[in-house]
């Protein structure tokens, strides 16, 4: 357990994801408006690439895949990565990817509590900044990030590769 | 040596950066319009945090710090990182940071050749996408990336941490 995240009238545990959480995390990814066409598991064969990716994430201390569990289910997930670089006097930067909160836990402070923990962890690891990109179609997300102090100073560019 | 990058009438070598390249890379970072206030080395003490960061980058096969050298100088540099994640069926993504080309080598195709190599390397490592963020004030850079096929689909959000 990494923390107890405060919500109204309750708390939610936060811990590193385990392999057993992967199907539930993928369900959250697939429930997303943009992820629906990209992610999902219906067979064991579908699960394997996700488990392989989990193995890479879990083996590298630079990555922290977080879950807020509720029994065998996952209420929220986030990947937090700590990336070295030369710029800004050799600063470590914390990068946030793949944030999802289950629909019935939105607007209840869980997302904000998760980000607050992530930002504190970035401080503890002496990062110079926290960065993320968010799809321009997610207007609600932009307001959420701006309330947390993020500045939309950059364009986020993506080049999809055909495989 | 990783490649010979083609330029008009000549080629430029591309290789992994070595610790000896760090002062020259930092000079390139400091020569940049936005990096000037953030980076630079005047004393050995200034160099140490950059060398520490280089050690982290160099020790991790997920990161590739590239230089196009010219004798003891560096004409161009780029950090290419390969980041695992669960989204997009456990896709690896290639992330580009800290791209700089020395002023007298701009508009000569070196930046494009460096990106073409990076995109090919992302293909070789079976990445699903290549991603980067660029400061919104860098209008020339946006046109350059769009010519390479990047789509400005995301907002790039940064939160600076006080240390």
């Amino acid at each position: 357990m990494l923390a107890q995240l405060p919500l109204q009238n309750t708390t939610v545990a936060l811990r590193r994801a385990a392999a057993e959480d992967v199907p539930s995390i993928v369900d959250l990814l697939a429930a997303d408006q943009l992820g629906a066409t990209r992610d999902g598991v219906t067979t064991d064969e579908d699960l394997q690439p996700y488990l392989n990716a989990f193995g890479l994430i879990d083996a590298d201390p630079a990555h922290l895949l977080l879950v807020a569990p509720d029994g065998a289910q996952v209420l929220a997930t986030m990947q937090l990565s700590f990336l070295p670089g030369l710029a800004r006097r050799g600063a470590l930067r914390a990068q946030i990817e793949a944030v999802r909160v289950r629909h019935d836990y939105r607007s209840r402070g869980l997302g904000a509590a998760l980000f607050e923990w992530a930002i504190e962890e970035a401080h503890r690891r002496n990062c110079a900044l926290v960065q993320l990109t968010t799809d321009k179609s997610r207007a609600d997300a932009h307001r959420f990030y701006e309330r947390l102090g993020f500045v939309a100073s950059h364009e986020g560019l993506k080049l999809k590769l055909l495989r």
Side-chain angles (χ1 to χ4, degrees), chain A:
Chain A
M1 173 106 72
L2 296 164
Q4 284 286 350
L5 303 178
L7 295 194
Q8 290 145 338
N9 308 321
T10 183
T11 62
V12 167
L14 182 71
R15 62 167 169 77
R16 285 182 78 99
E20 296 73 43
D21 299 314
V22 171
S24 185
I25 296 171
V26 176
D27 286 346
L28 268 189
L29 296 175
D32 177 72
Q33 52 176 348
L34 296 175
T37 58
R38 301 194 298 233
D39 287 296
V41 167
T42 48
T43 68
D44 284 355
E45 201 178 10
D46 291 341
L47 188 59
Q48 198 53 52
Y50 292 105
L51 289 174
N52 295 346
F54 174 79
L56 292 174
I57 296 166
D58 195 50
D60 187 341
H63 304 296
L64 194 50
L65 184 62
L66 298 167
V67 290
D70 175 25
Q73 295 298 303
V74 166
L75 301 179
T77 181
M78 170 191 281
Q79 184 176 332
L80 186 54
S81 297
F82 301 94
L83 306 178
L86 291 191
R88 299 171 187 258
R89 304 195 177 277
L92 204 61
R93 51 183 75 198
Q95 180 162 308
I96 292 173
E97 297 266 6
V99 180
R100 299 290 187 280
V101 176
R102 206 172 73 187
H103 63 92
D104 56 327
Y105 270 76
R106 291 189 202 145
S107 308
R108 290 176 60 182
L110 178 52
L114 186 56
F115 267 86
E116 281 157 18
W117 187 87
I119 292 165
E120 282 166 19
E121 181 66 11
H123 265 297
R124 282 188 287 269
R125 298 203 190 200
N126 204 28
C127 295
L129 56 84
V130 184
Q131 65 183 20
L132 60 91
T133 67
T134 183
D135 195 286
K136 286 182 179 175
S137 68
R138 299 192 201 265
D140 288 354
H142 301 176
R143 285 188 291 273
F144 171 81
Y145 294 130
E146 284 171 3
R147 280 198 300 273
L148 286 166
F150 283 88
V151 178
S153 54
H154 285 60
E155 290 286 338
L157 295 148
K158 311 275 173 179
L159 174 68
K160 285 183 195 162
L161 302 180
L162 296 174
R163 291 194 292 172

